[in-house]
Amino acid sequence: MFPATQISVDPRSGERRRHHLHEVVLQRAVREAARQAGIIKPVGCHTLRHSFATHLLEDGYDIRTIQELLGHKDVSTTMIYTHVLNRGGKGVTSPSDRL
């Protein structure tokens, strides 16, 4: 998904190929994009993951579906994202509200 800019030689096989970008390169690119966008809070790749999960929750996706999409083994890890919703009693929709 994120190919390196240069072709390199694999030291084990001697084969020339294009590897993936090192994760640090991607993290720096995300931080630079945030800086150029005028975002002053710290931003990294994990910020995008957290935002993705939060938006899915806001859109009403099931916590188990989000767990699977994020690759969490335990649902309690996914439940961490629910704290940002902070909807209280207004977060619950009665079936009669849909009539």
Side-chain angles (χ1 to χ4, degrees):
M1 179 179 255
F2 299 104
T5 56
Q6 299 177 18
I7 294 175
S8 60
V9 177
D10 186 324
R12 288 172 274 178
S13 68
E15 199 174 325
R16 290 173 46 87
R17 62 173 90 172
R18 190 176 309 269
H19 294 279
H20 293 97
L21 282 178
H22 192 275
E23 65 182 75
V24 172
V25 176
L26 184 60
Q27 297 234 3
R28 284 182 188 146
V30 169
R31 277 194 218 107
E32 177 60 19
R35 188 192 65 74
Q36 289 180 10
I39 300 171
I40 56 174
K41 290 184 176 185
V43 176
C45 295
H46 190 76
T47 309
L48 300 177
R49 180 178 169 88
H50 190 84
S51 178
F52 174 71
T54 302
H55 284 290
L56 289 175
L57 283 167
E58 288 174 342
D59 290 345
Y61 280 79
D62 178 71
I63 193 75
R64 297 283 181 183
T65 302
I66 299 169
Q67 174 190 3
E68 187 175 328
L69 289 171
L70 294 177
H72 293 157
K73 290 181 181 178
D74 191 341
V75 74
S76 63
T77 307
T78 312
M79 293 295 287
I80 293 168
Y81 296 103
T82 61
H83 80 278
V84 296
L85 294 180
N86 198 20
R87 291 185 180 162
K90 295 179 183 176
V92 177
T93 304
S94 168
S96 64
D97 292 340
R98 290 184 244 143
L99 297 175

